[in-house]
C-alpha cells in the first residue's frame, strides 16, 4: 500500500475541513492561511506522485477523499460569496457596510 501518497491526500482533506470550519466562523484570515498550506501539500503530492502510483484500491480511497474535498470546497465557496460580494462593493466604492 502506498501510504505516502494517501497521507498527502488525507492531509489535504484535513486542511480543507479546517478551512471549512474557519469559513463557518467567518475567520477568513485562517481560511487564507490554510489555503496556503493546501498549495504546499498539493505541490509535495505532485512531486511524490511522479515516483509512486496508487493501486486500484488506493485509487478508490483517493476518489472518496477527493469527493469530500470537493464538497468542503463547494461549501467554503458558498460561505464566501456574501463576503466576496461585500468586498467587491467596497473596492468599487459602493460600500453597503454600516459604519
Amino acid at each position: 500500500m502506498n501510504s505516502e501518497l494517501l497521507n498527502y491526500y488525507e492531509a489535504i482533506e484535513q486542511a480543507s475541513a479546517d478551512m471549512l470550519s474557519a469559513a463557518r466562523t467567518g475567520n477568513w484570515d485562517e481560511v487564507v492561511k490554510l489555503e496556503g498550506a493546501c498549495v504546499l501539500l498539493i505541490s509535495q503530492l505532485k512531486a511524490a506522485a511522479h515516483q509512486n502510483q496508487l493501486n486500484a484500491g488506493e485509487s478508490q480511497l483517493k476518489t472518496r477523499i477527493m469527493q469530500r474535498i470537493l464538497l468542503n470546497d463547494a461549501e467554503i465557496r458558498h460561505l464566501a460569496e456574501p463576503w466576496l460580494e461585500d468586498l467587491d462593493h467596497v473596492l468599487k466604492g459602493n460600500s453597503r457596510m454600516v459604519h
Side-chain angles (χ1 to χ4, degrees):
M1 185 166 224
N2 193 338
S3 61
E4 180 185 11
L5 289 180
L6 289 176
N7 286 341
Y8 281 116
Y9 284 106
E10 289 169 347
I12 294 165
E13 178 187 13
Q14 183 59 56
S16 79
D18 293 344
M19 286 173 63
L20 178 55
S21 179
R24 285 177 174 157
T25 63
N27 188 348
W28 298 106
D29 290 336
E30 183 70 9
V31 172
V32 170
K33 181 179 121 184
L34 291 164
E35 184 179 28
C38 279
V39 168
L40 178 61
L41 287 166
I42 291 167
S43 175
Q44 292 170 338
L45 170 63
K46 286 179 180 179
H50 286 298
Q51 300 169 359
N52 303 294
Q53 289 190 338
L54 299 174
N55 65 35
E58 293 166 335
S59 290
Q60 289 176 350
L61 178 56
K62 177 193 95 168
T63 298
R64 289 193 298 275
I65 292 170
M66 292 299 298
Q67 288 170 339
R68 291 189 296 264
I69 291 169
L70 291 172
L71 288 172
N72 290 345
D73 183 63
E75 188 170 344
I76 292 165
R77 289 176 190 275
H78 175 74
L79 292 168
E81 283 176 8
W83 180 80
L84 291 171
E85 216 172 271
D86 287 344
L87 180 62
D88 186 49
H89 287 283
V90 168
L91 293 174
K92 290 180 179 176
N94 302 327
S95 178
R96 296 185 308 169
M97 303 172 88
V98 177
H99 300 289

